[in-house]
CSV table of all heavy atoms in Angstrom, one decimal:
chain,number,residue,atom,x,y,z
O,8,PRO,N,12.9,17.4,10.2
O,8,PRO,CA,11.7,17.9,10.8
O,8,PRO,C,10.8,17.0,11.3
O,8,PRO,O,10.8,15.8,10.9
O,8,PRO,CB,11.1,18.7,9.5
O,8,PRO,CG,12.2,18.8,8.4
O,8,PRO,CD,13.2,17.7,8.9
O,24,MET,N,-6.0,3.7,-3.1
O,24,MET,CA,-6.7,3.4,-1.9
O,24,MET,C,-6.1,2.1,-1.4
O,24,MET,O,-5.6,1.3,-2.1
O,24,MET,CB,-8.1,3.3,-2.1
O,24,MET,CG,-8.7,2.3,-3.0
O,24,MET,SD,-10.4,2.5,-3.2
O,24,MET,CE,-10.6,2.2,-4.9
O,51,THR,N,3.8,-8.1,5.3
O,51,THR,CA,5.2,-8.5,5.7
O,51,THR,C,5.4,-10.0,5.5
O,51,THR,O,6.5,-10.4,5.8
O,51,THR,CB,5.4,-8.2,7.2
O,51,THR,OG1,4.3,-8.7,8.0
O,51,THR,CG2,5.2,-6.6,7.4
O,54,GLN,N,5.3,-15.0,1.7
O,54,GLN,CA,4.5,-15.8,0.7
O,54,GLN,C,3.5,-15.0,-0.1
O,54,GLN,O,3.1,-15.4,-1.2
O,54,GLN,CB,3.7,-16.9,1.7
O,54,GLN,CG,4.5,-17.8,2.2
O,54,GLN,CD,5.2,-18.7,1.2
O,54,GLN,OE1,4.6,-19.1,0.1
O,54,GLN,NE2,6.5,-19.1,1.3
O,58,ASN,N,2.3,-14.7,-4.8
O,58,ASN,CA,1.0,-14.9,-5.1
O,58,ASN,C,0.8,-14.1,-6.5
O,58,ASN,O,0.8,-12.9,-6.6
O,58,ASN,CB,-0.1,-14.4,-4.2
O,58,ASN,CG,-1.5,-14.6,-4.6
O,58,ASN,OD1,-1.9,-15.1,-5.7
O,58,ASN,ND2,-2.4,-14.5,-3.6
Side-chain angles (χ1 to χ4, degrees):
M24 59 186 145
T51 57
Q54 290 297 323
N58 188 347

